Amino acid sequence: EEADVEQGIPMDDGAATLVIMNEGTAGDVRNIERVIEETRRVLRPGGRALFSFYNYEALLYRQPCYPYETSLAAGINLDRQCLDVCAPTGRIFQIHAKPYTVEEVKRLFGEGLDLVEVSTYPTTIAIQANDLFEVSHGVPAELVAIDREMSAMNYGAYIVAVAKRR
């Protein structure tokens, strides 16, 4: 089913056990407060929601440039508050995307949705050179371990908020 979630989630009250917006998609929504309100409405008591936002404070955006191509084909443009997406042709497309701070995300929840966890991911993996991620090599275990440790330091490219319906 296709629906504009800003206009409402086409489900009955308390019909869902899980609502997910991953890979920063909560930052793509212009009226996230409305979507969170609708999420609270459709979740049954004890149901969970996972929202992922673009992180304004990410390590990725603290450097003006890298001497190599990173593993991401898109990045937040902090000045324009949009997502710059690089097409295979090299052309850059700009899409609405609001980056949030961890504190801003924490303030979005309430009124029936309790935050269970807020963390960020990935941190160092997002800014590594592409050749580290060839199929034959995979992601080095050391980088995964560093990312796990740094996720609580708010440096990841995405903020992940997990909430539970009262």
Side-chain angles (χ1 to χ4, degrees):
E1 183 173 340
E2 236 177 84
D4 180 348
V5 294
E6 289 184 81
Q7 300 301 312
I9 299 174
M11 295 179 75
D12 294 334
D13 295 357
T17 57
L18 179 65
V19 173
I20 298 175
M21 293 188 79
N22 64 352
E23 298 295 324
T25 54
D28 296 335
V29 176
R30 292 182 193 277
N31 189 351
I32 192 62
E33 293 87 354
R34 170 82 167 122
V35 174
I36 291 172
E37 177 184 312
E38 276 292 284
T39 297
R40 185 203 50 75
R41 181 187 65 76
V42 302
L43 279 176
R44 66 181 54 152
R48 303 280 175 131
L50 182 144
F51 283 79
S52 176
F53 300 83
Y54 302 110
N55 185 6
Y56 187 87
E57 300 167 310
L59 187 61
L60 175 65
Y61 309 124
R62 293 176 184 264
Q63 302 298 323
C65 65
Y66 294 93
Y68 47 79
E69 185 178 348
T70 66
S71 61
L72 298 177
I76 289 291
N77 180 324
L78 294 177
D79 296 328
R80 293 186 175 205
Q81 293 206 353
C82 68
L83 187 64
D84 286 341
V85 180
C86 183
T89 61
R91 183 171 175 210
I92 303 291
F93 292 91
Q94 294 184 325
I95 300 170
H96 169 80
K98 181 186 182 323
Y100 289 82
T101 66
V102 169
E103 291 307 313
E104 287 173 322
V105 168
K106 287 178 179 178
R107 286 193 297 269
L108 288 172
F109 292 86
E111 292 297 313
L113 279 179
D114 295 322
L115 276 177
V116 175
E117 180 182 348
V118 177
S119 62
T120 69
Y121 84 98
T123 53
T124 58
I125 290 173
I127 59 175
Q128 299 303 318
N130 278 338
D131 58 1
L132 283 178
F133 303 103
E134 293 176 2
V135 175
S136 60
H137 296 109
V139 178
E142 295 83 359
L143 287 179
V144 172
I146 290 168
D147 265 17
R148 249 188 230 116
E149 290 295 319
M150 292 182 75
S151 67
M153 301 171 82
N154 300 340
Y155 292 141
Y158 301 105
I159 299 168
V160 178
V162 178
K164 182 178 178 182
R165 172 79 155 75
R166 288 187 205 134

